[in-house]
Amino acid sequence: QVQLVESGGGLVQTGGSLRLSCAASGRTLSYENMGWFRQTPGKGREFVASINRSDGRVAYADSVRGRFTISRSNSKDTVHLQMNSLKPADTAVYYCAARGGFFNPNNFEYTYWGQGTQVTVSS
């Protein structure tokens, strides 16, 4: 079993920055890959970024590439999402997710999910 605890959401103006964090605990092989997704009311969950815990390989959605950066802590148990140049369209609940296995930037089937943290970008 894996537990994911997110932090760092909030309200920011257009063009501002926020940093989300996700602390993982439990069986490490089960969170070998960690990702961020977001969801707005009435829409499905959207992939944002992912990272492989061991080798640091990353993947980004086109909508955030160049503005968001995903990284991992030295202990590799915490993942951060640095969000710069935020737009109102980035407003959503952001979820941290984890799964085991090999890194695959096109695999969006995650096993474990955090509780979500709200990010609101005002215009």
Side-chain angles (χ1 to χ4, degrees):
Q1 194 72 358
V2 172
Q3 292 77 42
L4 302 173
V5 179
E6 301 136 334
S7 60
L11 173 65
V12 66
Q13 292 185 334
T14 297
S17 298
L18 280 175
R19 188 188 196 214
L20 305 182
S21 296
C22 175
S25 60
R27 187 169 175 264
T28 56
L29 288 178
S30 295
Y31 59 93
E32 183 65 11
N33 302 283
M34 296 181 70
W36 288 96
F37 291 75
R38 64 188 183 187
Q39 188 169 21
T40 55
K43 293 187 178 181
R45 201 163 287 184
E46 174 192 19
F47 168 76
V48 174
S50 62
I51 188 167
N52 181 266
R53 183 176 176 273
S54 294
D55 61 22
R57 282 181 290 174
V58 299
Y60 295 97
D62 289 342
S63 58
V64 306
R65 187 176 289 111
R67 300 187 298 122
F68 291 11
T69 302
I70 189 170
S71 62
R72 68 195 196 281
S73 64
N74 289 337
S75 68
K76 301 179 182 179
D77 291 328
T78 300
V79 170
H80 306 288
L81 185 68
Q82 178 66 42
M83 305 185 294
N84 298 329
S85 302
L86 283 162
K87 309 172 183 179
D90 295 316
T91 296
V93 177
Y94 283 70
Y95 294 91
C96 177
R99 63 173 181 83
F102 297 103
F103 181 73
N104 181 348
N106 297 314
N107 183 349
F108 306 129
E109 298 296 323
Y110 282 70
T111 307
Y112 302 99
W113 294 86
Q115 79 283 1
T117 185
Q118 177 70 47
V119 171
T120 303
V121 184
S122 64
S123 57

